[in-house]
Amino acid sequence: MEIRYKKVKENLYIYLSGELDEYTATAVRSAVDGLLDRNVRANSVVFNLSGLTFMDSTGIGMLIGRYKKLKRIGVPVYLQSAPVSIEKILQLSGLYQVMPKI
Amino acid sequence: MKYSNQMKLTFSAVSENEPFARNTVAAFCLPLCPSVSEINDVKTAVSEAVTNCIVHGYGGNGGTITVIAELNCESVYITVSDNGCGIEDVARAREPFFTTLAEEERSGMGFTIIETFMEDVVVRSEKGKGTVVEMRKTFCGDLDKERATC
């Protein structure tokens, strides 16, 4: 997994690339939380999923965990550019109801 | 004679084997010419079943997982099994969003995803003896294509 980020006008964009599953989730969670902790004043956080080649329910759990963390400090979370292969699992999980697609 | 083929994988219940398991099953299915969407469904379902074995069956404490895949003309039949702690209430475990590990950020979507992406999903489990998940996927692929092997 590769994680990159950029800030645009106090909005934090996090780019996830590779396979997000049980094997990689712990490292991703730790790296993303580090980024979030350093950017608690962000107006919003956007997860760009365009580089993901695989994601299962462990990835859903990871994203929900980050949503809960950011909700506590009032930062909205959005999802962006999910590949077709991952769109199905995002729709099924209802994740877009709390992390809207932009 | 109709086309058929079978494979069996036995591997340690560690998460680094998840990509190996799902990609091996996906590669095994290729003679049936599945669509990209269909092969993604199989990969995701296998990953969910293997995760269940690692996280719930063995509680992250090792063990062995067996994956069997059988092809016929147009379908793959997959069995994922462990010899772990088993599931006390299978019906409840199959409910969407049910998880015994919410504090670990588990979504509780594993069985729901398997049931949505696959067909004829059967879960057999006995407390203290392990769990077996059976599932089938029929590949439509390109419907105009002749399957040369059938």
Side-chain angles (χ1 to χ4, degrees), chain B residues 120-136:
Chain B
D120 299 338
V121 178
V122 175
V123 181
R124 290 184 282 112
S125 190
E126 195 171 342
K127 202 174 175 189
K129 292 195 173 177
T131 300
V132 179
V133 177
E134 298 170 349
M135 49 191 155
R136 177 172 66 88

Side-chain angles (χ1 to χ4, degrees), chain B residues 16-150:
Chain B
E16 68 188 86
N17 283 334
E18 277 195 13
F20 162 71
R22 64 175 177 259
N23 290 328
T24 302
V25 173
F28 183 71
C29 292
L30 290 182
L32 297 189
C33 302
S35 67
V36 173
S37 172
E38 289 167 342
I39 209 68
N40 278 330
D41 288 351
V42 169
K43 286 172 70 175
T44 306
V46 169
S47 197
E48 298 294 350
V50 170
T51 298
N52 279 347
C53 298
I54 296 169
V55 174
H56 298 287
Y58 294 116
N61 297 312
T64 300
I65 298 169
T66 301
V67 176
I68 297 171
E70 296 177 65
L71 303 182
N72 68 15
C73 286
E74 57 184 14
S75 300
V76 60
Y77 297 80
I78 301 169
T79 303
V80 179
S81 59
D82 67 62
N83 299 305
C85 66
I87 302 171
E88 199 162 318
D89 186 340
V90 170
R92 186 132 194 253
R94 293 177 71 156
E95 290 175 6
F97 304 110
F98 174 79
T99 180
T100 55
L101 296 171
E103 72 281 0
E104 290 187 15
E105 297 185 353
R106 301 289 167 191
S107 68
M109 288 294 294
F111 278 128
T112 302
I113 288 169
I114 293 172
E115 288 169 352
T116 303
F117 288 13
M118 305 292 280
E119 303 143 55
D120 299 338
V121 178
V122 175
V123 181
R124 290 184 282 112
S125 190
E126 195 171 342
K127 202 174 175 189
K129 292 195 173 177
T131 300
V132 179
V133 177
E134 298 170 349
M135 49 191 155
R136 177 172 66 88
K137 184 75 173 177
T138 300
F139 298 125
C140 299
D142 179 354
L143 290 173
D144 296 330
K145 164 188 82 235
E146 290 286 333
R147 294 189 195 282
T149 49
C150 291

Side-chain angles (χ1 to χ4, degrees), chain A residues 57-68:
Chain A
S57 68
T58 305
I60 297 292
M62 193 284 292
L63 288 170
I64 291 173
R66 309 292 69 69
Y67 162 75
K68 288 179 177 175

Side-chain angles (χ1 to χ4, degrees), chain A residues 40-80:
Chain A
V40 290
R41 292 184 181 171
N43 289 335
S44 71
V45 171
V46 178
F47 285 96
N48 184 300
L49 308 179
S50 60
L52 282 182
T53 53
F54 179 84
M55 187 174 85
D56 61 13
S57 68
T58 305
I60 297 292
M62 193 284 292
L63 288 170
I64 291 173
R66 309 292 69 69
Y67 162 75
K68 288 179 177 175
K69 178 185 175 86
L70 288 161
K71 189 184 178 193
R72 283 196 290 271
I73 56 173
V75 178
V77 188
Y78 302 97
L79 300 177
Q80 186 178 55

